[in-house]
Amino acid sequence: MPSLPVITGLGFITSIGHDRATVLSSLRELRHGFETVEFFGNPRLPVKVAGTVKGFSFPTSNWRDWRWPGQFSIDRELLRGLAPHGVFAICALQQALAEAGLDPADLRDGSTGLFCASAGSPFMLGDFLAQLRETRGERGNPMGIVSSIAGTLNFNLAAHYGISGAVCGFVSACASSSHALGFAMDEIRLGRQQCMLVVGAEDLMGESIMPFSGLRTLSNNPNPATASRPFDRHRDGFVGTGGSVALVVESAERARSRGARIQAELIGWGQAGDGHSVAATHPEGAGLREAMRRALADARVNPAEIAYVNAHATSTLGGDRSEALALQAVFTAQDAHPRVSSTKALTGHGLSLAGALEAAICTLAVSEGFIPGAAHLQEPDPVCAGLDLPRTSLDEVPRLVLNNSSGFGGSNVCQVFRRPA
Amino acid sequence: MKPSPTHAPVVPLSDRDERIKRLPDAARTAFQQFQLDGNPERLDPVLWAILMDFVPKATMAIGSETPGATRLIEDLGFDSLAITEVVFFTEDLFGITITNEEIVQVRTLDDLRAFLRAKVAVRPPS
């Protein structure tokens, strides 16, 4: 009998809060984390809103200029190899370990692994490469690589915490940290590891967000209160965010043996590719549809048993439409009617962070007993007909919850969460 | 130890001001005096400040009171990464090139101080 992966710790550095209680109240009260921003100091940019990570400042690529909230402690030995999102990740992981009742010394015996996800840091990489180009290859900051490329999170966190179990980074764009969580579940289920740390993070910089403007996927709506409105017929793109979320996943046996509080059980996951486009979703959400079915099959549950779906919906025209059709195929067509919302309406879209963030939100939903509402939804897109999109958060206790994530190249990943008995 | 020949600096002087702006006042003043008169004996405060800035764990103050025989790795806690950062910073600040062979011969504060003084003394005029 495979071990059951369970979640025993969460950590949040997000636009809607830097601790569990604040994130929870933001979700219950549908309080968004958006502010007006000016990327690259350029007032002419059409993108005016982002999910800001309050209390952090990264004015240059030199860590000596960085600032973070005083409740977090970061060793200078660690700072030298970090990108801004690495700072977020350290702060999130400190919270998750504390909540799980784990001491950093507990992580070193080989029974704990670490799976991370970020896109790397275009901000740091840009400065590093500019220096190399300017000097025609003669000068390169010694820490330039490890602080900038995809993998910077796992390089730094694994070394800092002395992780000698499985260590890997996942790169599937906006499905990355969902992949990390899925494969972390398998590490537990296969008995390879007793505990897995899963960390998703992204910078919040013009260098990370504005490239999506070229794809015409960012909202140009200057109003923080309405810019992100997944499934609304007037949606015009996503609102970017950064931050980090960390999850402590461990075997149920170990969690029970050490008296840890089990917040959620991870009973299944699935993934499927669209096989369609490098950037656009399949018009009918074929890959996501299959990923949901595989996750439900892995969890051995019927669509009708799912009480809530945390949709990937980012507030883009095509992506939300594809997901709505996929949800109808998996649920509505089977006469199943789970509540559906995309919490990106409140948090913004965290790219590689998104899957971990929303997995943590699903964990809060089952452990705290509520369903996040579909914020900012005023006029549902007709393509959402038949979907149950609650306008407010609900005091309902969901037993089973599904988390959806989709990324570039048509990567789709879903997990099923169960409320502990 | 005989310093290797140096190359012309690749970092413009204006960038050096940017590099020292985070160092303590005493180090900045010493560096500016060195730029005026080229006397390498003025550089000790700069060296202490660089070491303090890059030492992985700031467990002890590094300064004129620190014994010259103090070892960078064993006593001060420098690791190979931090040493590459010191080398990189120092190369840019003084417009010099430091080879791997030179790096491995520097073990103590005295070694480092003597090496830096000799190195900047043979620096071509910029």
Side-chain angles (χ1 to χ4, degrees):
Chain A
M1 186 76 176
S3 293
L4 174 66
V6 299
I7 293 176
T8 56
L10 302 175
F12 298 91
I13 299 296
T14 71
S15 64
I16 60 168
H18 298 339
D19 59 76
R20 180 189 184 99
T22 306
V23 170
L24 183 59
S25 68
S26 296
L27 292 168
R28 284 186 181 277
E29 297 161 19
L30 298 188
R31 198 168 53 240
H32 68 75
F34 304 129
E35 292 180 307
T36 300
V37 297
E38 191 175 273
F39 288 124
F40 297 109
N42 184 356
R44 290 181 296 141
L45 295 180
V47 176
K48 306 291 187 191
V49 175
T52 51
V53 189
K54 290 80 178 171
F56 291 80
S57 170
F58 306 97
T60 75
S61 58
N62 190 318
W63 58 262
R64 294 161 184 83
D65 296 328
W66 297 354
R67 300 291 179 267
W68 55 87
Q71 67 264 36
F72 302 109
S73 170
I74 307 176
D75 296 343
R76 51 189 278 141
E77 181 180 12
L78 179 58
L79 271 172
R80 63 184 180 174
L82 293 179
H85 69 274
V87 174
F88 297 148
I90 291 291
C91 299
L93 190 50
Q94 285 176 5
Q95 294 174 53
L97 292 173
E99 191 173 274
L102 290 171
D103 187 276
D106 299 334
L107 310 176
R108 295 174 171 269
D109 67 0
S111 68
T112 297
L114 170 73
F115 284 172
C116 295
S118 86
S121 176
F123 172 66
M124 299 294 282
L125 188 60
D127 272 18
F128 178 53
L129 295 181
Q131 185 183 38
L132 272 179
R133 287 186 175 126
E134 187 181 338
T135 62
R136 299 171 67 199
E138 291 187 35
R139 310 299 297 153
N141 181 340
M143 306 306 281
I145 299 171
V146 296
S147 63
S148 67
I149 66 172
T152 177
L153 270 190
N154 32 296
F155 307 156
N156 280 280
L157 297 181
H160 179 68
Y161 285 101
I163 306 294
S164 55
V167 174
C168 192
F170 290 77
V171 182
S172 52
C174 307
S176 299
S177 55
S178 250
H179 266 127
L181 180 59
F183 282 104
M185 291 169 60
D186 284 353
E187 289 294 305
I188 302 289
R189 298 201 292 193
L190 292 168
R192 293 171 171 164
Q193 303 286 174
Q194 287 293 302
C195 179
M196 291 298 301
L197 310 178
V198 177
V199 183
E202 289 284 14
D203 290 356
L204 176 59
M205 299 286 185
E207 287 85 346
S208 295
I209 304 298
M210 286 310 296
F212 290 91
S213 186
L215 282 170
R216 304 297 172 121
T217 54
L218 293 176
S219 173
N220 292 341
N221 179 347
N223 183 355
T226 56
S228 181
R229 42 185 160 177
F231 296 129
D232 193 285
R233 72 183 304 168
H234 300 295
R235 68 189 182 277
D236 72 332
F238 78 80
V239 175
T241 191
S244 179
V245 163
L247 303 99
V248 176
V249 183
E250 55 188 316
S251 71
E253 300 84 40
R254 192 182 94 147
R256 289 192 192 101
S257 71
R258 64 185 194 85
R261 180 191 167 214
I262 294 175
Q263 301 185 32
E265 299 168 343
L266 289 161
I267 60 171
W269 78 288
Q271 62 165 323
D274 279 347
H276 172 67
S277 164
V278 65
T281 55
H282 185 279
E284 294 175 2
L288 182 56
R289 183 177 67 214
E290 189 57 28
M292 285 191 276
R293 286 176 174 155
R294 290 176 180 174
L296 295 174
D298 186 36
R300 299 174 189 237
V301 300
N302 297 315
E305 295 178 86
I306 298 293
Y308 168 62
V309 179
N310 189 298
H312 178 74
T314 63
S315 193
T316 60
L317 297 176
D320 289 16
R321 175 187 167 83
S322 298
E323 185 165 13
L325 294 173
L327 288 165
Q328 286 165 344
V330 173
F331 292 101
T332 316
Q334 310 303 315
D335 201 25
H337 303 282
R339 310 285 196 186
V340 176
S341 72
S342 168
T343 44
K344 292 184 179 78
L346 302 172
T347 63
H349 183 16
L351 310 171
S352 296
L353 157 68
L357 170 55
E358 285 141 29
I361 290 172
C362 290
T363 303
L364 289 178
V366 299
S367 66
E368 303 288 344
F370 79 107
I371 289 175
H376 306 160
L377 181 62
Q378 295 179 331
E379 193 176 342
D381 188 318
V383 78
C384 298
L387 298 183
D388 183 349
L389 301 161
R391 309 299 173 87
T392 61
S393 291
L394 305 172
D395 287 326
E396 296 176 3
V397 182
R399 179 174 168 272
L400 293 172
V401 164
L402 182 70
N403 182 34
N404 286 353
S405 298
S406 299
F408 276 152
S411 285
N412 302 279
V413 184
C414 308
Q415 301 103 12
V416 181
F417 297 71
R418 185 169 65 198
R419 180 179 169 87
Chain B
M1 178 189 340
K2 184 182 176 186
S4 63
T6 57
H7 300 292
V10 292
V11 178
L13 280 174
S14 58
D15 285 359
R16 291 186 203 160
D17 295 336
E18 174 69 18
R19 287 189 167 273
I20 64 168
K21 75 177 185 183
R22 296 180 184 84
L23 299 183
D25 290 345
R28 287 207 307 274
T29 302
F31 183 73
Q32 285 157 1
Q33 289 173 338
F34 166 73
Q35 285 181 302
L36 290 175
D37 64 16
N39 179 2
E41 294 183 6
R42 297 189 185 281
L43 291 177
D44 281 2
V46 182
L47 184 58
W48 309 143
I50 294 172
L51 292 174
M52 283 298 292
D53 200 37
F54 287 103
V55 67
K57 289 186 172 72
T59 54
M60 61 183 284
I62 304 170
S64 57
E65 305 295 316
T66 313
T70 304
R71 296 166 298 180
L72 297 175
I73 294 173
E74 295 87 345
D75 301 325
L76 293 178
F78 273 84
D79 56 20
S80 59
L81 283 174
I83 287 177
T84 61
E85 289 192 282
V86 169
V87 168
F88 183 74
F89 185 91
T90 307
E91 286 182 324
D92 276 357
L93 185 60
F94 294 105
I96 58 180
T97 299
I98 301 172
T99 67
N100 290 344
E101 292 72 22
E102 289 169 330
I103 294 170
V104 297
Q105 292 182 55
V106 172
R107 293 197 167 85
T108 67
L109 288 184
D110 275 348
D111 291 344
L112 183 58
R113 181 162 53 180
F115 171 73
L116 183 61
R117 287 182 179 187
K119 193 82 183 178
V120 299
V122 300
R123 183 184 63 161
S126 57

